[in-house]
Every structure is written in structure tokens, then in C-alpha cells.
Amino acid sequence: MDISTALILAIVVSLLSFGVAAYFYIWVKKQPSSNKTVHMVGELIQKGASTFLRREYALLARFAGVIAILILLFLPQPIWSGDFKDNIAMAVSYIFGTALSALAGKIGITIATIANMKAAEAATKGIKPSFLAGFRGGAVMGMAVVGSSLLGVSLVYAITRDASAMLGFSFGASSLALFAKAGGGIYTKTADVSADLVGKVELGIPEDDPRNPAVIADNVGDNVGDVAGMGADLFDSNVASMVAALVMAITLDKGAGNFTMMVFVYAALGLLASSIGVITARMGKSGDPSNALNMSTYVTTALYAGATALVTWIFKFEWRIWGAMIAGLLVGTIIGIASDYFTNDNKKPVHYVAKASESGPAFTILSGVSYGFLSVLPALAGIAVSALVAYNLTAQLNPGNPVYGMFGISMAAVGMLSIVGMIISNDAYGPIVDNARGLVEMGNLGDKALEITDSLDSAGNTVKAVTKGFAIGAAGLTIIALLGTFMSEVNVAASERGLAGIENFDILNPTVFFGLLVGAAIPAVFSAMLMLGVDRNAQRMVGEIHRQFNEIPGLKEGKEDAMPEYDKCIDIATTGALKELIPAGLMAIAATIVVGFVGGVNAVGGFLAGNIISGLLLALFMSNSGGLWDNAKKYVEAGNHGGKGSNAHKSAVVGDTVGDPFKDTAGPSINTQVTVVSLVSSIMATLFLTIKIFG
């Protein structure tokens, strides 16, 4: 096999995944839906989500246009001092990356707002058809997103064969994902927090009661945050892992193409395994949706491990690189199991937090925070072990060249993200069945259907926590690999200019330590800015909900002619999210550039190391503690510890409200922030090497 054959394989498998996505899309659309209320509310959700996405993308298109011009003028080096074709290639690749990332979000929104209605009505027939409608809706997004990422990277490499162009493509995907995830997260948690505080805590009405003016905005938020935002996020992670590996592979290959070929072959086999996994996914006799989702993931993992081992043996690929990749794959599974333990409502941590809620919200918060911090260790230890194993396995290929070891870490990231098609399918399933549960309640489809969608929703919450942990873990390995990419880009630029390169970053060097401290602080500031955005926006929406309940006659009592003004809450969430989404991302990018021009490449190395460690810790903590509080609330609502309306329930709702911006706004946005600053560092490596105040 040669590099051309590997590229053809990657492109063919990408197109095959689009075929699977199209089949599922048609299958979901054909499912029956006849309830007029479900259809009406479903259309309101669809319209609200599409409106937000259109306004968000219009804003981000202007931002991307400005960045593309700056790239054209200054990167990889000023256009007047280098080869202008390199600048054009990077700028065009950047735009291509943003376009595909935006497309990932659009595909997700389109199918999710159809599948939620189908899953709701299927619940009247039983749990299996409802599960299948939700899962296959998610699988459309999974197949389309990963197919787009593999196809995009393959085309950019095939056309340019240039590392800078691929970094530009990855930066385009990452920058749009950063703002899409932040904007969607602020929108969804503005509506969710407001609806819960006024509806559940103050008035004691059900979660998806149509009297609540924020209920449609809440359902819209599930789509723009957990579907469009997470789709762009995992598109970004998948692209970044492949690009990090390819940039180092190009350096190591020196024209031979062996390492580059392996990246494409292994990535294509991962998408193929995910395609088979989603096609064969079914709910077993137990009728447990969590088991069905987990089993499909394990089957896909086993298929991938077996297929890559077979290909490695047949084509005599390097077994050490296969071992590094499998180390990443296994750690991804371990992170998923750890996240499941701390967030699943069948496990002790959720039961303990639910029990603590009987004593008041302070104990809900204390216990949830404690378990959230405990959950960080298995994931971080797993990332550390996989990076250590991968580095030492591949470093032996050439002990004198540290790039081999860093390439091994990048292949561990490729391995962890190899089954990302299945992971996205599982993740998108969560908000689809969450919406379906609301539609069942608003459409009065019966207690049995509500019980079924509650069960599906609970599994969706656990799976979302698992996939968020997986995404964060994969980002961790990817960012470590991107640190190697940054070193590689610096050394290439240094060699061209007759300057000394870098082999490591000494934390006793004051310039490196300066960068380390600043980098460690950025994720905390970034998180605070996003959560303050949710806080400001939610306070405005709570005021609007109070106004409607006070001014619309009969609304509180549920009279038929009293209709809430849903569009007012949708507009507050949309306007506020668009206002708040840019500053936090710009702050992180600006901090990277300032550190680079102050301390040069050594300060940036420290900055990235601090950003990685701090970012991973905070992201894992917030994701898991938020998922834990959410399922503790649902465990109480299932009738435990006093059930709905009890003191434990009110405390659990407060915990869930605190956890909402943790798990759906700040937590999952941090891993994208870390990826973005790493890519900014790599594409600006030449400038940081030559223009600096200290270092």
C-alpha cells in the first residue's frame, strides 16, 4: 500500500459514511407522526434552533472573514517576506475548515429537530422503537460529522501536501467550534436555568409544562448547545488529532510517506468500524437503553482493534505505532467507564448526592463538588499513562529524535478518537430524547410514553457525561500531540534561519515558568466569563418569565386561552448568547499571542503546558459534577428520597441548576479553547521565534 491508495481508502470510507447517514435520515423521516400538538411544538423548536444558528453563523462568518485576511497577510509568515502561495493555501484551508465545522452543526440541528418528534410518538408503541428513532437520528450526525472531517483532511493533504495548510484547516474547525460551543452553551443554559428556577422551584410545575414561557427556548437550547455545539466540538477534536499526527508524520517521513499513510488508514478503519456499529445497534431483551448504547460502543471498539491489527499484519506496518494507538483507544474506554460511575443514576455517587439533598442545597453542592473532583483522577491518570506508554513505545524507533515519541502520542489521540462516529451518535441521542420527553409531556401522549422517555432521557444524560469525558480526554491527548506539532514547526523554522531549535521546555527557566502560570489561569478565566454570561442572560429571562406569569391572565392556572409568549424568551436567549460568545474566545487567543511576543517560543511552550493541565482538570471536574447533579435530580424525581415536590427535590433542582453551566457551557468549551490556543501557537510559531521581548 502507498499513500495514494491510503488517501483513496479514506475518501471512499468517508463517502460510505455519508451513504449510511442518508439512509438513517430517510428512515427517521419515514417514521409516523400524527399528533398535532407534538407537530406544532416540534416546529417551534425547529424554527427557534434554525433562527439561532442562522444569526450565529452570520456573526461568525464576519469573524472568520477577518481572521482569514489576517492569515493571508501574516501567516505562516508575512506575505511580503515569504512565498505568497503558502499564505493563500493556509487562508483557503482555514475557510474550508470553518465551513465544514459549520456544516457539522447544521446537519445535527436538521436531523435532531425531526428525530425528537419521531421518538416522542414512537414512545406510545414502546421503548425499542422510541430508542431506535433517537439513536438513528443521532447516528445521522455521527456519520456525517466524522465523514466530513476525514474527507476534509484527506482533500487538503491531497491538494497541498503542506503542513501549514492542514494547520490552517484545523484552526478553522477549532475556532468556529470554540464560538459555536460557547454560544450554544450560553443559550441552552440560559433557558434551562431560568425554566427550572421559576417553574420547578418557585411554582412547582413539571419540567416541560407548556405554561412555562421558557420551555420552548429550553428545548431549542438542547439542540443548539448539545447537538450543533458538540458536533462542531468533536469535528474539531477529530480534525486536530489527525492534523497533529500528519504534521509530525510529514517531518518524519522525509518524502517516503509511510507514517502519513498509517494515519489515513487507521482513521478510515475507525470510521468504517463506527459505520458498522451504528448499523447493527439494537436494544436487547433487557430493554435497558444504557446497556444498548454502551454495548454498541464496545462492539465498535472491538471491531476497530481487530481490523487495525489485521491491516498492520498484512501490510507490515510498524507494530509499535499500532500499540500506541490501541493505548489511546483503551484509555478512552476507561475514561468512559469512570464518567459512567460518577454520573450514572444506578451508581453510589448519584445515590449519595440524592440522599444528601434531604439536608438542603448546601449539602447537594458540597457532595457534588467533592465527587466531581474525585472523578478527575481516573481520567487524568489514564491520559498520563497512555501518553507515557505511547511515547516510550514509539521513541524506540529512533531514540535520538524526540519527534518519534510525540508522534506516538498523536497516534494515541487518533486511536482514542477512532470510534468518534459512534461517540457522536451516542451524544446526539441525548438531546434528541430529552426533547422527545418534553414533547410527550406537552402533547399529552400518556404516562406510559412519559415513563419510557424518562428512561431514555436518563440514559441520555449518562451517555452525555461519558461522551463529554471522552471528548475532553481525547482533547487532552490531542493537545499533548499539538505541543509536539508546535515544537516541530518551531524547529523547521529555526533550521531555515540557522537558529537553535528546542527539544524540551525547562520549567526552571523563568520565561517558561512565566508562560506556565499565565496558561494555567486562562481556562479558569475563560470558564468564569462563559458562566457569567449565563448568569446575566438567565436573570433577564427570569424577569421575563415573571412578567408573563403576572401579566397574562390565566397563564399560571393553565387556562386554554392563556398562551405564553415563547418567542420573547427565545429572543432573550438568542440575543444574549450572541453578545456573550465572542469575548471569552478572543481573550484566550489574545493571551496566547501576548505571551508569544513577550517570551517567545519557550514562554509559549510553558503557556501550553499550563493550559493543558489546568484546562483538563477543570473540564473533567465541571462535566462530571454537572452530570452527577442532573441525574441526582432525576433519581429523586423517580420517587426516591421523597420524590417530586419534597425538600430533597428542591435541593436537587438547585444542584442541577448550578451544574447546568458546568456541564453544558464551560466544561465542554474548555477542551476546544485548549485546542484553539495550541493551533494558534503552531501557526504563529515562526513569528514567535523571531519577534519577542524576552527569552
Side-chain angles (χ1 to χ4, degrees), residues 459-473:
N461 277 326
T462 301
V463 167
K464 280 195 291 184
V466 171
T467 53
K468 283 184 176 71
F470 184 94
I472 294 163

Side-chain angles (χ1 to χ4, degrees), residues 289-300:
S290 292
N291 284 347
L293 294 167
N294 289 334
M295 186 54 63
S296 61
T297 302
Y298 298 146
V299 167
T300 303

Side-chain angles (χ1 to χ4, degrees), residues 27 61-62 110 141 178-180 208 213 251 269 301 341 369 379 388 399 475 570 587 590 595 597 622 672 674:
W27 184 90
R62 295 194 290 273
T110 302
M141 183 174 168
L178 175 66
F179 296 115
D208 292 298
T251 302
L269 289 175
T301 302
Y341 174 77
V369 166
L388 190 63
I570 291 173
M587 178 278 301
V595 167
F597 286 139
M622 287 194 283
T672 316
V674 180

Side-chain angles (χ1 to χ4, degrees), residues 18-32 111 114 118 136-137 140:
F18 294 146
V20 174
Y23 166 73
F24 282 156
Y25 181 83
I26 294 167
W27 184 90
V28 170
K29 281 203 76 173
K30 283 183 176 178
Q31 299 311 297
I111 185 59
I114 296 171
K118 307 297 185 178
R136 288 191 164 181
V140 173

Side-chain angles (χ1 to χ4, degrees), residues 153-207:
V153 173
S154 300
L155 289 176
V156 171
Y157 178 81
I159 293 168
T160 67
R161 306 287 170 123
D162 179 59
S164 295
M166 285 192 295
L167 286 169
F169 177 77
S170 186
F171 180 51
S174 295
S175 59
L176 189 127
L178 175 66
F179 296 115
K181 188 63 196 162
I186 291 169
Y187 183 112
T188 183
K189 291 307 110 180
T190 292
D192 198 356
V193 167
S194 303
D196 278 358
L197 284 177
V198 180
K200 284 186 174 182
V201 177
E202 290 185 22
L203 301 178
I205 62 177
E207 181 168 353

